[in-house]
Amino acid sequence: MDDHKRAVEDISASVRGFYDRKEKFRIYHGSTNSTRGSSKGNRIVDTSQLSSVLKIDTKRQTALVEPNVSMDRLVEATLRHGLVPPVVMEFPGITVGGGYAGTSGESSSFKHGFFDRTINYVEMVLANGEIVTCSNSEKPDLFYGAAGAVGTLGVTTLVELQLRKVSKYVETTYHPVSSMAEAREKLKQLSSDPESPFDYIDGILFSRNQGAVITGRLADNPERSMQIQRFSAASDPWFYLHVKNMLTNRTGSTTEAIPLAEYLFRYDRGGFWVGASAFEYFNVPNTAFTRWWLDDFLHTRMMYTALHASGESKKYVVQDLAVPYDTVEQFVEYTDKAFKIYPLWLCPLRASSTLPTIHPHSYETAADGSKIPKPMLNVGLWGYGPAQHEEFVRLNRDLELKLRELGGMKWLYAHTYYTEEEFWQVYDREWYDALRAKYHATSLPSVYEKVKVDVEAERRAAESLVFPNSLLTKWPISGLYGIKKAIESGTYLQARAAAWRSMETMDNADMGKRA
């Protein structure tokens, strides 16, 4: 802990300097899973060194973790003690701090809520340099307010996470559905059952008339007849293609056993299905052989690096959108006509019990005026948008307006095109500004300043490009440049070295012996 304390004191001193000079600053974490660009310049507080798991408490079932610990490193550390976080983001490179400052709803969120609801307390450096601890009982307004506020209320430096005992496998069942209406009803029914036997629930809609609701149940001893399926090796199938194959080749529901860590990171290879767009971009056949051959490039860390470096993130729709159950069919009808993007990811979310919040939320007003939170369904919309930038912006603007019309809200990791007035019609500005003033956070960029896309600035930058830099915006040079930068990043080595792939075969006793 001594190294941690020294690092936090250095961060505190740096933050205090910006505060005294009345200068706004940004936080550099060293990695990103956002489609918004990561910046590094003079007015930066560098927290990238905070990347260690400091303690696993097996009696209390907690982990003391620095904010830049990624999901794969966290799971590897906790599995050695026979424990795992209740909510694990599907992409291995997403960090603990990113899960708290952003919005992370995963297939266990119907039961546990967003990732931040599994946090006991957070150590934070306020924007005036003060080091504080916040939790459900200590500065609860900051604890809940900073969740989802994309780092605009302070600098997270330490997190205590809840853990739970592991099982070796997830018995995973694929339930075929033939429409969004059927998927909606099944997801709502399964996720709202207080006696639900399931630990994980999500869904994939492959087209208007084909999809699957996917349920998972933790189990140590699956039936002998049950197939054991993995997804992490280059020769393994991508998860979504495997699900589609199950629907095509079998009738009715099918169950198989997936080793726990393999299940948690099942969408890493191919980045759900975004990796298929790389084959489309380069006009390369998307086959089992090419997926095996190019596997290093098709894990999420590499794809995010290439996406940013190539500039393709400005042409690609990557949006997570939380919609109330009673309007989600209308919303999918809209995306079907306006975007024609499939597959769609469907993930049920437990009602947010802490209002106000920056997190996506929905509520109904009771007779006494109180707000009653309602569960929502996350729709993952990921695919190429219009080639013309003006049309791309127009369609994203239209998406935001339609989402608001139907009572939904978006994840703020993605491109956001709201005007400032529109943005604060969605979020509670009075509450947010009061919280920033109380905790001296006005020297940080506001949440709107951090997430907005400056369309005019992008247009001017594009128009000012001259040869040879203008070549970096052209096919296939932009894509090749993205690959070059991804290779130089070395992030493919992290996937190759993933220890969790060999850990899932150990039983609980073996895990405990390794502690």
Side-chain angles (χ1 to χ4, degrees), residues 77 94 104 115 139 164 192 298 307 444 446-447 497 515:
I94 297 178
S104 296
F115 175 76
K139 296 182 175 61
R164 65 176 180 179
S192 61
L298 296 167
L307 187 69
L444 289 168
S446 73
V447 64

Side-chain angles (χ1 to χ4, degrees), residues 122-327:
V122 173
E123 178 189 78
M124 190 180 297
V125 176
L126 300 183
N128 65 351
E130 182 184 356
I131 303 170
V132 301
T133 299
C134 57
S135 66
N136 184 49
S137 58
E138 185 177 0
K139 296 182 175 61
D141 55 347
L142 179 62
F143 179 63
Y144 293 117
V150 294
T152 61
L153 291 169
V155 183
T156 300
T157 54
L158 188 67
V159 170
E160 185 182 82
L161 278 171
Q162 300 165 19
L163 303 174
R164 65 176 180 179
K165 291 183 179 179
V166 302
S167 295
K168 290 179 67 176
Y169 297 97
V170 179
E171 288 187 351
T172 306
T173 302
Y174 310 101
H175 310 265
V177 294
S178 58
S179 67
M180 182 61 212
E182 185 181 358
R184 169 196 175 277
E185 286 305 312
K186 196 166 192 67
L187 286 164
K188 186 176 182 181
Q189 173 198 351
L190 292 173
S191 62
S192 61
D193 180 3
E195 303 299 322
S196 173
F198 302 116
D199 299 285
Y200 304 98
I201 300 174
D202 69 335
I204 303 174
L205 195 65
F206 292 98
S207 66
R208 288 178 61 93
N209 54 19
Q210 185 188 47
V213 168
I214 306 163
T215 55
R217 187 181 69 84
L218 290 166
D220 278 319
N221 300 297
E223 295 179 13
R224 289 182 177 274
S225 60
M226 198 173 290
Q227 176 180 325
I228 295 177
Q229 180 65 54
R230 292 175 170 80
F231 299 101
S232 63
S235 57
D236 290 333
W238 287 4
F239 180 72
Y240 92 98
L241 292 174
H242 177 71
V243 176
K244 190 171 186 179
N245 184 60
M246 298 285 269
L247 296 180
T248 303
N249 296 332
R250 306 189 187 188
T251 59
S253 298
T254 305
T255 302
E256 61 188 3
I258 304 175
L260 175 61
E262 295 270 347
Y263 175 88
L264 295 176
F265 301 128
R266 66 202 180 282
Y267 287 116
D268 175 45
R269 294 176 58 247
F272 282 87
W273 35 85
V274 171
S277 297
F279 291 96
E280 180 184 339
Y281 175 89
F282 286 109
N283 294 321
V284 173
N286 184 357
T287 66
F289 172 77
T290 54
R291 290 191 295 273
W292 167 82
W293 182 45
L294 298 169
D295 185 66
D296 274 343
F297 301 98
L298 296 167
H299 293 256
T300 48
R301 280 188 175 98
M302 284 288 279
M303 286 195 292
Y304 270 111
T305 305
L307 187 69
H308 285 290
S310 68
E312 289 298 299
S313 63
K314 297 175 183 177
K315 308 171 187 177
Y316 207 83
V317 177
V318 182
Q319 300 280 358
D320 277 275
L321 311 134
V323 189
Y325 276 94
D326 53 3
T327 59

Side-chain angles (χ1 to χ4, degrees), residues 78-93:
T78 61
L79 280 180
R80 293 187 179 97
H81 299 267
L83 300 167
V84 73
V87 177
V88 175
M89 285 73 91
E90 275 92 352
F91 290 176

Side-chain angles (χ1 to χ4, degrees), residues 392-410:
F392 181 86
V393 172
R394 185 203 65 77
L395 194 56
N396 272 276
R397 293 268 300 138
D398 191 60
L399 174 69
E400 291 173 344
L401 293 173
K402 176 58 70 171
L403 185 66
R404 185 179 169 206
E405 175 190 321
L406 297 176
M409 298 178 75
K410 67 189 294 183

Side-chain angles (χ1 to χ4, degrees), residues 80-81 507-515:
R80 293 187 179 97
H81 299 267
D507 61 26
N508 292 350
D510 290 334
M511 291 180 190
K513 289 174 184 176
R514 287 178 59 119

Side-chain angles (χ1 to χ4, degrees), residues 450-463:
K450 283 200 71 171
V451 305
K452 70 175 180 177
V453 173
D454 190 331
V455 176
E456 277 303 304
E458 285 191 347
R459 182 186 61 79
R460 289 193 300 270
E463 290 175 350

